[in-house]
Every structure is written in structure tokens, then in C-alpha cells.
Amino acid sequence: KEPWQRRFIDSFKRDPNAHVTKAAQSVSAHGGHGFDHKTAAERTANSGLAHKLKSRHMQMIAIGGSIGTGLFVTSGAALNTGGPASLVIAFIIIGILMFCTVQALGELAVAFPVAGSFSAYSTRFLDPAWGFAMGWNYAMQWLVVLPLEIVAASITLGFWPGAQDTNPAAWVTIFLVVIVLINFFGVRGYGEAEFVFSIVKIIAVIGFIILGIVLNCGGGPNGGYIGGRYWKTNNVEPSYAGYVLGAEPGSIKSGAFNSGFKGLCSVFVTAAFSFAGTELVGLAAAEADNPRKTLPRAIKQVFWRIALFYIVALTVVSLLVPYGDTRLLGAGSTDAKASPFVIAINNAGISGLPSVMNVVILIAVLSVGNSSVYGSSRTLAALAEQNQAPKIFAYIDRKGRPLVSIIAASILGILCYVVAGGSDTSSTALNWLYSLSGLSSIFTWGSICAAHIRFRSAWKKQGHTLDELAFKSQAGVIGSWIGLILNILVLIAQFWTAAFPIGYSSQSPKDRAETFFLSYLAFPVVIVFYLPYKIYFKTPFMRSTDMDLVTGRRELDTAALIEADRIEKAQMPKWKR
């Protein structure tokens, strides 16, 4: 047995069994123009990534993986913008969209647990040019989220007086090093970290729901019965904590809605941002030890996460904090003091607990940062395997890590040092970074639904039956149509609120233009990736009869195994099916 130092160094060498880029194959055909679908499918199916994610990892990635600042912090600004009813309605609608999308993704990922997941499905079932655009859209989304979340973590620390005196560059360095180190431990490191982070977040959300119900019923130190008081128009009592802290008497408004239908539409984007990352469970399927078993279980947990952790938690918080409380605005989407959860606990007069909640927010931020390196590195590697990114990104080492892609994602984390430029500089830079990631998820989810619709069409036309699938979407093709339509409606609603935001009549033309591009920058970015690739490679829209339904399918999907699964499922209680 070789010394550990030698084994450690050798682990970074290219995996000799991961022949990702084969010399005899080229994705370009016809003199450099065209797209070789067969080769691209083979490469994503045989990427050499490690298969080390176990059932418990997949469960936690599905249940708690994307719970972050969207739920804990940004939901406060959404409450302020649209009011409590808009907040709950928007999250229910996006929740329905997410349920349909994840079910569709589950069916595709169990049948084809390939590297790149949804971007590869867009290439295979829709249009290679759209797959190229979706791959880069998704990679860029996570590449910019890493510095965003690291800066958010450093700002979260500002809640404690002692941390305010420390140069924020020191904090971002610590967080960046921790996140990068976790990902250098490979997929197992990511899985274990997410397992721990998710448990903390889940316990915190469940604990807050119980606490919130107690506080609403008047069980807090400062409490009387609250009920649905803040859903009624201008019904904030004079003793409310916001007034005690210095707000003008009568200035804190309440009610079910704020700014009417436009307020509701404005909340859609915040809700979509909060659910971003739910699709990571599909990306992780390529590295699961047994996706046929573990993925369906994980996918089924998503419903409970949407219903319990988002809808119930936000309903409870909307009963405790009126939308007119100016503390909800905070200093931006990364200010933990603006968290409606923290404000509700402060209002109740419970000492010590706001600090605990801020620790949870800090862990949630680091969790999303960890996921960002994972998501961007795997997507970059899959793009490279299809010759849609520089080939060097397809480098897989002997531990099954896409090493060059992880390094590239980590280097972009250096953007987090914009905090050293002062609050104004960092705020401007972070806003533009955030604008790149804001709408990205909508395009990803819409593409998943569209790919599932086209897959089902090809599956039927090529003579297959649904009984051959190890996992079928509980929402079916109808669910994918619902998901696709809802994604399109959210894009339209966001265009309307971006072009004509609340209070736009008082804005200058320059401010209006800046507001629009801050909200809608992801759309032109997708078009810039799609059209040149489409024109240069002359890629076709995939026909049902031409789609490859063989490459990348797990040989485990035999009739006998599927029948055994069916018998096992029939013996389970109904709630578990």
C-alpha cells in the first residue's frame, strides 16, 4: 500500500477509466457545423463522476437543500411589497409549479441519470442550441450565487456587535475557504455537508412554526392574542413593537394585500428565487449510488417541503408581522435583521432566540454557497462533455471530482471581495450579480417541463409503454403542461413588473431602465447564448422519432425489477407511496 501522501497526490490525476473526450469522436460534424447527438449522449452517460450519494443524502438535498435566504430573509421584502395574502398565494402558485417540475425531473432522472441532467435533457429532447443556452444559464446562475451568498454570510455576522468591528474581507475569506474545502472532498463531502445543514434548517423551521403558533395565540413574554389582526386593513395596535422602536404613530400599515395585483406579481420572483435549488436533486442523480431506489423517495419528499416549510411557515410569519413594518426592508436581500422570522421573535420579547435564528440563517447561507459550487461545477463538466464548453472543464479525477470545474467555480468566488470596496460599491455589484441569477431558475424549470412533454411523446411514438418506466411523474404530462404554462406566466408577470414597477411614474427614465435590466437581465443573456449557437451549428428542433431513448438508460430498468418495486410499493402505507 502506497503512502497516504502519494495516494493524495494521485487522487487529483485524471481517472484513467473516465474517457470523457474520446479522440475518435467529435461532437461537431459536417465540416464543423451540426451536432452529433449520439456522441453527446454517450459522454454525459459515461462521465466518470463518483456514485457516492446515498439515500439519506438525496432525501436531505430534496427536503432542505434550497432553504436559504429566500425563505428566511427575502420573504420579508416580499411581505412588504405584496402583503400577507400575496405572499402566501404567490408561494402556493410557485409551489404547484415546483411540484409538477420536480415530478417531471424525477421521471427523466431515474430513466436517464446522466451528467448535466436538465441541460442534457434539453439538448436531447428539445434542441441542442437550447440545451447549450440552458446549461450556461444554469452554470452562470450558480457561479454568481457563490460570491452573493458569501457576502450575505459576512453581512449576517453584522447582527452581533463584536463582528461589526472586523474587516468583512476577513469573514468572506473564511467562508470561501470552508465552502471550497467541502467541495474538494468530492460529492461525498457535499452530501455530508448538506445532510448536516439541512437537518439544522429543518429543525429551525419546524421549531419556528410551533413557536409562531404559540406567539399568535398570545403565549409570548410580550404577548396578547394576535390571530388574523394583521390581515385586516390598518389594524396594528399602538403597543406594536415597531412603534415602541420609534416608528411614527399610525405609520405601520396592515391588510391582506399591498399594491393589488401588481404587488402579487412582484412577489412571484421572490418566491421563484426562494425555491431555486430544488432541481439540484435531479443533478445529483448522476452521482447517486442507486438512483432507481433513492431518487423516487427523495422526489416524493418535495411536496412536504413545499407544503410545510414554505407555505405553513410563511402563513405563520404573515400573522405575526404586518407588511408595513419598515424593518422588513432592511438594507437589501442579504440583511438578516430584515428577516420576518427574526422580527417576529424580537416583537415577542424573547431574548437570545434572535441570535439562534441568525445562526440558522448563517448556516442556510453557507449551505446555498456549498450547493452553488456543486451545481455550477457539474453543469460546466457536462457542457464540456458535449463540446459546449472548453474541454478542460470535463477533467474528472480519480475520486470522481470534476476538478477543473470546481477550481473555476471557486475562483469566481473571489468576486465576494467587492465587500472591501465599501457598502455602495458592493451593493451595486451584488445587485447586478443577483440580476443574472434572478430569472434563471424560471428558464430551467420551464425547460424541464418541456423536455418531459417531448420525452413522453417520443416514448409513445417509439413503441414504449409507461409500464417500462421505473418512476412515473405523479402529475403526469398534464402536470408538466401546468408547470410550463405557469413558468411562462411568471416570465410575463415579471416583464410587466420590471417594465412598470410599483411607483414607476415617479422614476426617471434612467432609473426605469436600470430597474428593468436588474429584474430581467437573465432573458437577454439566454437569447445571446441561444441564437448564435443555433445559427452557427444549424441545430434542429428534435423530432419525437429521432430522439435517443437508449443511451444513458440504466440497464437496471428491467421488467422484473420494476415489478418487484411495484409489489414493494403496494405494501407501503398510502402516505409513503
Side-chain angles (χ1 to χ4, degrees):
K1 193 176 181 180
E2 293 182 340
W4 70 267
Q5 297 96 327
R6 169 55 55 189
R7 295 201 309 273
F8 176 74
I9 292 168
D10 286 349
S11 72
F12 293 101
K13 293 180 180 178
R14 187 188 287 274
D15 181 0
N17 299 315
H19 300 297
V20 177
T21 308
K22 302 174 185 176
Q25 295 175 327
S26 173
V27 172
S28 291
H30 310 111
H33 295 271
F35 192 87
D36 185 346
H37 307 277
K38 183 74 174 174
T39 303
E42 283 180 1
R43 289 176 178 176
T44 53
N46 303 289
S47 66
L49 292 171
H51 301 282
K52 292 185 177 179
L53 288 177
K54 299 192 178 299
S55 179
R56 62 187 178 87
H57 300 132
M58 298 295 285
Q59 296 263 6
M60 284 301 168
I61 290 168
I63 297 173
S66 68
I67 296 174
T69 50
L71 174 64
F72 288 126
V73 181
T74 321
S75 57
L79 175 61
N80 180 269
T81 301
S86 291
L87 181 73
V88 175
I89 291 168
F91 270 81
I92 288 173
I93 291 171
I94 300 295
I96 293 168
L97 178 160
M98 269 326 306
F99 176 76
C100 296
T101 302
V102 173
Q103 287 287 324
L105 177 59
E107 182 177 310
L108 292 170
V110 171
F112 303 96
V114 299
S117 190
F118 22 85
S119 64
Y121 300 146
S122 291
T123 296
R124 189 183 288 210
F125 302 126
L126 298 176
D127 174 5
W130 189 249
F132 171 76
M134 286 301 96
W136 277 104
N137 167 65
Y138 195 72
M140 284 178 63
Q141 172 191 342
W142 284 118
L143 287 169
V144 301
V145 162
L146 176 60
L148 270 173
E149 295 299 322
I150 291 173
V151 171
S154 69
I155 293 172
T156 301
L157 284 171
F159 180 84
W160 293 284
Q164 292 175 357
D165 304 327
T166 307
N167 189 324
W171 295 121
V172 299
T173 301
I174 293 169
F175 296 136
L176 181 60
V177 169
V178 168
I179 289 170
V180 170
L181 280 178
I182 288 171
N183 280 274
F184 269 103
F185 277 102
V187 69
R188 192 66 182 269
Y190 164 74
E192 294 295 350
E194 280 307 299
F195 182 75
V196 174
F197 290 155
S198 294
I199 286 175
V200 173
K201 292 185 285 187
I202 289 165
I203 291 171
V205 174
I206 293 172
F208 178 82
I209 290 171
I210 295 168
L211 175 66
I213 293 169
V214 171
L215 295 179
N216 187 263
C217 295
N222 294 349
Y225 177 72
I226 299 172
R229 179 185 298 157
Y230 301 140
W231 282 57
K232 296 175 183 174
T233 305
N234 296 333
N235 198 32
V236 181
E237 70 279 14
S239 60
Y240 178 70
Y243 290 136
V244 176
L245 292 170
E248 289 288 324
S251 64
I252 299 177
K253 295 180 180 179
S254 68
F257 292 95
N258 185 23
S259 302
F261 183 66
K262 187 174 281 189
L264 172 63
C265 291
S266 300
V267 178
F268 275 132
V269 183
T270 303
F273 175 75
S274 301
F275 281 109
T278 307
E279 70 289 333
L280 275 171
V281 70
L283 196 65
E287 296 176 83
D289 61 352
N290 187 358
R292 185 181 63 85
K293 281 271 190 185
T294 59
L295 198 57
R297 288 177 190 166
I299 292 295
K300 289 168 188 173
Q301 304 302 322
V302 171
F303 170 79
W304 299 108
R305 189 185 86 189
I306 292 168
L308 181 63
F309 301 146
Y310 285 91
I311 310 303
V312 175
L314 289 173
T315 301
V316 170
V317 88
S318 72
L319 292 169
L320 298 174
V321 183
Y323 76 75
D325 194 325
T326 53
R327 289 174 292 171
L328 290 168
L329 294 171
S333 63
T334 55
D335 185 1
K337 294 174 190 172
S339 166
F341 295 84
V342 173
I343 292 170
I345 295 168
N346 275 326
N347 287 352
I350 304 173
S351 60
L353 207 51
S355 287
V356 173
M357 202 67 205
N358 270 276
V359 170
V360 173
I361 292 170
L362 185 62
I363 288 170
V365 165
L366 291 176
S367 170
V368 177
N370 182 39
S371 295
S372 70
V373 176
Y374 178 81
S376 57
S377 63
R378 270 56 180 184
T379 306
L380 281 174
L383 285 168
E385 285 156 10
Q386 299 171 87
N387 271 14
Q388 294 178 329
K391 289 182 181 179
I392 188 65
F393 288 132
Y395 184 103
I396 310 288
D397 70 13
R398 294 182 182 184
K399 291 290 185 183
R401 297 170 295 204
L403 195 61
V404 176
S405 295
I406 291 173
I407 292 169
S410 304
I411 289 171
L412 268 173
I414 292 171
L415 286 170
C416 63
Y417 286 102
V418 294
V419 295
S423 59
D424 290 341
T425 305
S426 62
S427 178
T428 303
L430 291 172
N431 282 341
W432 284 105
L433 284 175
Y434 173 74
S435 68
L436 276 172
S437 66
L439 275 182
S440 298
S441 294
I442 303 296
F443 287 103
T444 298
W445 300 337
S447 298
I448 290 169
C449 292
H452 181 245
I453 292 166
R454 298 296 299 139
F455 162 72
R456 279 289 188 93
S457 173
W459 191 254
K460 185 177 179 181
K461 284 188 179 177
Q462 293 187 27
H464 295 283
T465 65
L466 295 183
D467 290 334
E468 295 175 58
L469 294 172
F471 174 75
K472 295 186 286 291
S473 165
Q474 292 174 313
V477 177
I478 293 173
S480 292
W481 275 111
I482 292 170
L484 180 61
I485 291 166
L486 285 175
N487 274 294
I488 293 168
L489 290 176
V490 169
L491 280 175
I492 294 169
Q494 175 59 3
F495 181 85
W496 179 45
T497 57
F500 306 100
I502 296 167
Y504 76 94
S505 56
S506 61
Q507 290 182 325
S508 66
K510 181 190 172 198
D511 288 339
R512 278 194 214 173
E514 185 175 320
T515 300
F516 177 79
F517 283 107
L518 278 171
S519 301
Y520 225 71
L521 187 61
F523 184 79
V525 168
V526 168
I527 299 302
V528 165
F529 275 109
Y530 175 68
L531 286 179
Y533 194 93
K534 179 79 176 170
I535 293 166
Y536 182 77
F537 286 102
K538 299 181 174 64
T539 59
F541 294 106
M542 299 303 295
R543 296 169 61 90
S544 300
T545 51
D546 297 333
M547 291 178 194
D548 181 1
L549 300 180
V550 178
T551 308
R553 275 191 72 199
R554 284 286 167 101
E555 292 178 6
L556 294 171
D557 289 352
T558 61
L561 280 169
I562 292 171
E563 185 58 31
D565 282 349
R566 208 164 270 133
I567 293 168
E568 183 184 339
K569 183 178 174 183
Q571 294 171 345
M572 293 178 182
K574 281 187 179 181
W575 65 270
K576 204 174 180 181
R577 294 177 201 172

